[in-house]
Amino acid sequence: QQQVKQSPQSLIVQKGGISIINCAYENTAFDYFPWYQQFPGKGPALLIAIRPDVSEKKEGRFTISFNKSAKQFSLHIMDSQPGDSATYFCAASNGILTGGGNKLTFGTGTQLKVEL
Amino acid sequence: GAGVSQSPSNKVTEKGKDVELRCDPISGHTALYWYRQSLGQGLEFLIYFQGNSAPDKSGLPSDRFSAERTGGSVSTLTIQRTQQEDSAVYLCASSLARKGLNFGPGTRLTVL
């Protein structure tokens, strides 16, 4: 049973546009929602993360929007650049606040291509 | 500072052989994780270490898979009697308590 559903599978955006990737989760015990960026041949790198006590978090051009009642969260990349072309993974865990393991459940990824 | 390192970066083996994959976490990171990434798939959790103990090994797909961590640092993931379905990128990550995971570059395993 997939606990974190991610869409779309792939996305093409024009330079300067807004990229939006969506995720939905099932486990209401999740309390930590990060997004990871992965370039070919590299490991995933933490991009931005949110806790369920806030509805939005912004870091530079990257924003997470979180809807606890709908059990959904999304990543918005403003002013998308060709260098943003990568695979993006959403994830969720329920260990971060208890001091225990931060076992992440990942979505299946979105391949983003930003065209000139 | 140095990030998580993994070796080898690539491993090609024949079906039925045993393989060992190594992970060197960031110094001082108490938590260590192994994930598996198959082509076009998300990351699949394998095992989590806190110090040298593994409180969660629920993701290990079969008893052919095992892992250990020594000295609260280096970890080795061992796959015995490899099968073609074991082909994937094996990713290691480390973290401090209550912090995000820092992933290594992965080991690409190909089982012929």
Side-chain angles (χ1 to χ4, degrees), chain A residues 5-11 20-24 35 90 108-110:
Chain A
K5 295 183 179 180
Q6 183 172 347
S7 63
Q9 186 175 6
S10 62
L11 180 62
I20 302 174
I21 305 171
N22 300 297
C23 282
W35 284 89
C90 63
T108 51
T110 296

Side-chain angles (χ1 to χ4, degrees), chain B residues 1-5 24-27 29 94 102:
Chain B
V4 176
S5 61
D24 284 88
I26 294 173
S27 178
H29 280 194
S94 70
N102 299 270

Side-chain angles (χ1 to χ4, degrees), chain A residues 23-28 33 66-73:
Chain A
C23 282
Y25 63 97
E26 300 168 4
N27 187 347
T28 55
F33 303 89
F66 184 79
N67 185 330
K68 188 174 182 178
S69 61
K71 294 187 288 185
Q72 295 176 345
F73 59 110

Side-chain angles (χ1 to χ4, degrees), chain A residues 1-7 21-35 50-55 64-75 89-94 103-108:
Chain A
Q1 182 184 12
Q2 183 183 358
Q3 295 193 55
V4 179
K5 295 183 179 180
Q6 183 172 347
S7 63
I21 305 171
N22 300 297
C23 282
Y25 63 97
E26 300 168 4
N27 187 347
T28 55
F30 286 149
D31 56 21
Y32 174 70
F33 303 89
W35 284 89
I50 197 168
R51 307 279 178 88
D53 52 344
V54 296
S55 61
I64 298 180
S65 296
F66 184 79
N67 185 330
K68 188 174 182 178
S69 61
K71 294 187 288 185
Q72 295 176 345
F73 59 110
S74 60
L75 176 69
F89 292 95
C90 63
S93 76
N94 64 353
K103 176 182 173 182
L104 294 172
T105 299
F106 283 84
T108 51

